[in-house]
Amino acid sequence: ASGLAIASLVCGILSFFTCITGIPGIICGHMALSRIKKSAGVIDGKGMAIGGLVTSYFGVFIIGLAVVAGIAFPMFATIRERGMQTQSVNHAKQIFIACRQYAEVHEGKYPDNLDELVKDELINDDKIFHDPLLDDDSQIGYEYFGAGVKDSDPPDKIILMSKSTDSRGKKVIARNDTSVEVEVPTAER
């Protein structure tokens, strides 16, 4: 039997545990098949060479797939988080716009709590109060700091902040200047 065919089969089997042996298994398998064909039946081991090739290619494929998956899954998680963060920013903007509309009718004063926005029919769907980044959607996902604040107060005053943080420790923050940003919160409100 061809020594290269045996080496190909051994390397192919080992390639299930380590990708490194898959490449030599493929090379040995092809070399063995070539030598077996040229020997006109003197050298045996065609089945082992084919088995070595199949197991080597399969081992390299499986390990390669695991590596690709290891790279892709964190990227998908990041993309998913960014999408939920965008949705959270949109929710905060809608809440803040409703607060501004409330202030126009109430002498520049923001509501004492977010329930007043629903009572005044400025927000029709209370699901807007749920932060997509927050696992628990049964509670309000934003902290409201607008009670007693007027739209004429300092522009950097925080009116609304998400309760959740992203993987980088950032929150969605709405300020009195109508900006809604994703940033690391400061101690000031």
Side-chain angles (χ1 to χ4, degrees):
S2 168
L4 286 172
I6 295 169
S8 174
L9 186 60
V10 170
C11 287
I13 293 169
L14 290 175
S15 72
F16 290 114
F17 306 104
T18 172
C19 184
I20 297 170
T21 60
I23 305 294
I26 292 168
I27 294 169
C28 289
H30 283 292
M31 288 174 60
L33 284 176
S34 174
R35 288 185 184 174
I36 291 168
K37 186 177 180 182
K38 288 179 185 175
S39 75
V42 175
I43 302 174
D44 194 23
K46 183 176 180 182
M48 281 191 283
I50 292 172
L53 280 171
V54 169
T55 55
S56 294
Y57 276 119
F58 192 68
V60 168
F61 174 74
I62 294 297
I63 297 295
L65 191 62
V67 168
V68 168
I71 293 169
F73 282 134
M75 288 178 13
F76 288 134
T78 300
I79 291 168
R80 181 176 180 268
E81 181 183 60
R82 294 248 170 104
M84 290 190 307
Q85 192 175 60
T86 300
Q87 192 176 10
S88 181
V89 167
N90 288 336
H91 285 196
K93 284 180 180 179
Q94 290 179 28
I95 294 168
F96 191 68
I97 288 169
C99 288
R100 282 290 209 178
Q101 290 172 337
Y102 182 95
E104 286 176 12
V105 178
H106 294 89
E107 300 172 6
K109 234 179 95 182
Y110 290 126
D112 290 331
N113 57 54
L114 296 177
D115 291 333
E116 291 184 35
L117 299 175
V118 176
K119 288 178 190 170
D120 282 11
E121 297 179 356
L122 295 169
I123 300 240
N124 297 326
D125 186 4
D126 63 353
K127 288 183 182 178
I128 205 77
F129 297 128
H130 302 296
D131 181 5
L133 287 169
L134 195 61
D135 290 333
D136 182 10
D137 65 351
S138 66
Q139 62 176 324
I140 292 178
Y142 300 92
E143 295 178 75
Y144 178 66
F145 305 108
V149 178
K150 289 190 167 194
D151 59 4
S152 60
D153 284 351
D156 61 339
K157 173 74 176 151
I158 295 175
I159 305 300
L160 192 71
M161 183 187 311
S162 63
K163 290 181 180 178
S164 67
T165 58
D166 66 7
S167 60
R168 297 168 294 162
K170 295 184 175 185
K171 292 185 173 212
V172 175
I173 298 174
R175 289 195 161 73
N176 199 24
D177 64 356
T178 69
S179 68
V180 178
E181 304 290 332
V182 178
E183 59 188 75
V184 176
T186 60
E188 297 177 33
R189 285 201 186 92

